[in-house]
Structures are given as C-alpha cells and as structure tokens.
Amino acid sequence: MQFRILSFLMLASFTAVAVPLSYTGTAHVIEGQATVTKANLFSCQNGQSRQSPIGIKTDKDQEFAVPAALQYQEQYFTTDLYNECSGVTPASIDDVDLSSVPVIEVDHDGEIITGYIFADNYFELFINGKLIGVDPIPFTPFNSNIVRFKVKKPYDIAIKVVDWEENSGLGTENNRGKKYHPGDGGLIASFSDGTVTNSDWSAQTFYTAPIYELSCATEIGQQRLTKRCDTDGRDSYDKAYSLHWQISQDWQTNNEYVTWPKSVKFTEQQIGVDNKKAYMNFQPQFSGAGASFIWSSNVILDNLVLFRYQVK
C-alpha cells in the first residue's frame, strides 16, 4: 500500500480567492503561501542542507500538498551514488561497488537494469507502476543515486521530480541575494539497457510558482506555458499566485501521458552542474552515456513535473 507522507494531516483552513479574469487556464489558482505542516523534512548529518518544508494549499474543496505529495520513507531510499550527508563521496564509478546495490524485482524472469539518476532536487522512480525508490535528499546538498531493477521489455518508466522551495507554496528560495528567488529544476538519467533521458520522454507540470501576473500563463492543448512570466527574484514578498493541477492516482500506469507535451532538453551549463561533484564525478554515466537534462517548458517556474517513457 502506498504511503503518503501527508495522509495524516487534517485539511488546513484556507480561504481561496476568486480567480482573476485575466487567467483562462485549467489550473487551480491559489494566492499566497502555504500552511506549513512540516517545517523541515531532512537535515544533513555531514554537511549543510536547506530547509525542506512541506505545506498545504487549498482551493475550495481541493487540497494540494506543496511542493508535492511524497512517499518519502527511509525504506524506499535509493542507494547513494554520491551523497556527502551519508559520507558516500566516490571520485568516479571505479570506486562504486555496483554489486552491493539491491535489485528490486518487477518481473522474476526479467533483465537486471542498472540506472543512474541525478535530479534537481527530488525524485520518485516507478517501473510498471512499482515504486523502485525515492531520493534520500529532498533539497540540498545535491546528490546522485543508483538503482537496479529486474524487468522484461517493454516496460514503462514514470518519474516524479520536484524542484524544492524554502518559502512554502511560493516556489521560491533564498538565492542570488534575494530572499524570494525562484529556483530551477532538472532531471538526467541513464540505464544499462541504453535508455536515456531525452526529448522523447513525455513531461507534464502540475505545480507552477511564483506567478505575479496571471495573464502571463497560457495553455495550448496540453501545454501549460509560462515562458512570458517573470522569473526575477524579490527582496520581500509580493502578491504571488501558484497554479495547481490534480494528479490522477494511477498516473504511473495510465495512458494520459500520450497527450502530454514532450520534454525539453537543457544543457549542463543551463542547469549549472559544473560545480556539483554528485554529477561531475559521474559525467561518463550521464551525458557520456548519451543522456540529456530534461524538464517541462519552464525549468524555473515549474516545480512539480511528471515524466513518462516506454522502453520497447
């Protein structure tokens, strides 16, 4: 049975404001910050970590966990490829004992697949709807992960990726000299059967913030577009909105993704990984294997993105 970290929380009291006429999209629009239900999900034992709060925002009878509803439990944590908080800091793949990584069985007569994942900031990986593992660090410091699973082709990959926030429900963090600065996301992964992240993967956003002027947000079919929206940081809180879309409970296995937009590729320079050992120490396993950083169309404002891909 899937565990939701927020399942025990009572519905927070919050009065949703009327949606301004300038917005014509399908999202639930909520003004202001979230009601914080957990101030910090994680603390680094051997280094510094940012606060990783969990919050609740509601629009009438619709409740949204921000930055996302999670299955964050230690029993699901993936094996560290690089994680300074747990003291795992190999210089390269040569220093990693791949045989020690547990194999999660999806099909008993399947092939054993090894995967390398680097997410900005947090991910949950599903294969054919089965949870393979979750990122042990929700926000920072940046880490990378190894997974192994046994499956038969064809199989479906589903990954939930979260760009975390310090200011709960506002999609912002203290960065670049600004207390309220939107962060950016990014996902890259490669698998031993040749599967890599690229623009063939489907991607859909389900939480976007901050939005200061709602008329900047548009929709064309299934494309949820915010390229015209302001991404500048602010010294103090300005009136800000967040956009939320409900996620189907069976999103990991249903066929809704066939109508989603395709992922957008980003360069290593755009994501900014040249100073992140969790990535650079294993560059051959990521971009060297042909994988690309991917996200939705807005790598800055879209904070919760679901990815789907079928391996044939």
Side-chain angles (χ1 to χ4, degrees):
M1 181 176 65
Q2 290 187 347
F3 172 86
R4 290 181 180 272
I5 194 170
L6 299 173
S7 61
F8 65 93
L9 299 173
M10 298 298 290
L11 190 68
S13 58
F14 186 95
T15 302
V17 298
V19 178
L21 295 178
S22 58
Y23 179 73
T24 59
T26 61
H28 293 262
V29 179
I30 306 175
E31 180 189 339
Q33 64 184 3
T35 299
V36 175
T37 55
K38 189 173 183 63
N40 188 30
L41 195 60
F42 171 81
S43 294
C44 183
Q45 297 299 314
N46 299 303
Q48 295 184 340
S49 55
R50 287 177 178 265
Q51 293 288 106
S52 49
I54 292 286
I56 291 289
K57 302 187 80 169
T58 57
D59 176 22
K60 299 178 182 177
D61 61 343
Q62 300 293 310
E63 180 182 84
F64 298 92
V66 289
L70 309 176
Q71 299 189 65
Y72 187 78
Q73 288 189 90
E74 186 173 355
Q75 63 182 345
Y76 299 140
F77 288 175
T78 56
T79 300
D80 294 323
L81 181 59
Y82 188 100
N83 181 347
E84 64 184 73
C85 296
S86 60
V88 178
T89 57
S92 72
I93 196 65
D94 294 335
D95 300 324
V96 178
D97 180 11
L98 296 178
S99 65
S100 67
V101 182
V103 177
I104 307 300
E105 185 176 288
V106 180
D107 299 312
H108 73 276
D109 56 345
E111 171 189 359
I112 295 179
I113 307 295
T114 300
Y116 304 94
I117 304 174
F118 177 94
D120 183 354
N121 299 105
Y122 170 87
F123 74 89
E124 295 181 353
L125 169 68
F126 302 83
I127 300 296
N128 288 350
K130 182 170 184 174
L131 179 62
I132 302 302
V134 308
D135 196 335
I137 299 182
F139 199 172
T140 63
F142 288 93
N143 63 312
S144 49
N145 307 268
I146 317 172
V147 296
R148 298 179 79 199
F149 51 90
K150 193 174 185 180
V151 70
K152 294 191 302 184
K153 293 182 180 179
Y155 64 91
D156 290 305
I157 302 176
I159 309 181
K160 174 188 288 186
V161 188
V162 179
D163 176 30
W164 217 273
E165 56 192 7
E166 285 180 296
N167 303 307
S168 187
L170 299 179
T172 57
E173 61 192 57
N174 190 346
N175 201 0
R176 302 178 187 179
K178 303 291 183 179
K179 186 176 180 180
Y180 297 87
H181 200 294
D184 54 6
L187 168 70
I188 190 168
S190 71
F191 300 87
S192 58
D193 62 354
T195 302
V196 293
T197 49
N198 56 33
S199 56
D200 292 332
W201 288 49
S202 298
Q204 185 59 288
T205 181
F206 287 86
Y207 167 42
T208 298
I211 300 295
Y212 296 106
E213 174 50 61
L214 284 167
S215 62
C216 73
T218 60
E219 294 182 23
I220 302 176
Q222 288 289 314
Q223 297 183 75
R224 297 164 181 174
L225 305 173
T226 50
K227 288 184 176 181
R228 296 188 294 110
C229 297
D230 185 358
T231 59
D232 291 338
R234 284 161 165 72
D235 293 316
S236 59
Y237 173 74
D238 286 341
K239 184 176 181 179
Y241 300 93
S242 54
L243 307 181
H244 306 263
W245 292 265
Q246 287 286 359
I247 299 174
S248 300
Q249 288 189 344
D250 62 342
W251 74 269
Q252 307 97 328
T253 56
N254 67 32
N255 290 325
E256 291 178 5
Y257 77 95
V258 299
T259 63
W260 290 358
K262 292 299 184 181
S263 296
V264 177
K265 294 200 302 184
F266 295 87
T267 67
E268 293 173 338
Q269 290 72 31
Q270 287 173 311
I271 300 299
V273 291
D274 60 342
N275 63 343
K276 296 176 175 60
K277 292 182 180 179
Y279 178 81
M280 297 302 295
N281 287 11
F282 309 97
Q283 199 172 24
Q285 283 66 53
F286 291 113
S287 60
S292 299
F293 277 97
I294 58 173
W295 200 249
S296 60
S297 61
N298 196 323
V299 74
I300 298 176
L301 297 182
D302 292 344
N303 304 311
L304 170 57
V305 179
L306 304 184
F307 295 91
R308 289 287 304 274
Y309 183 74
Q310 184 178 67
V311 179
K312 299 178 179 179

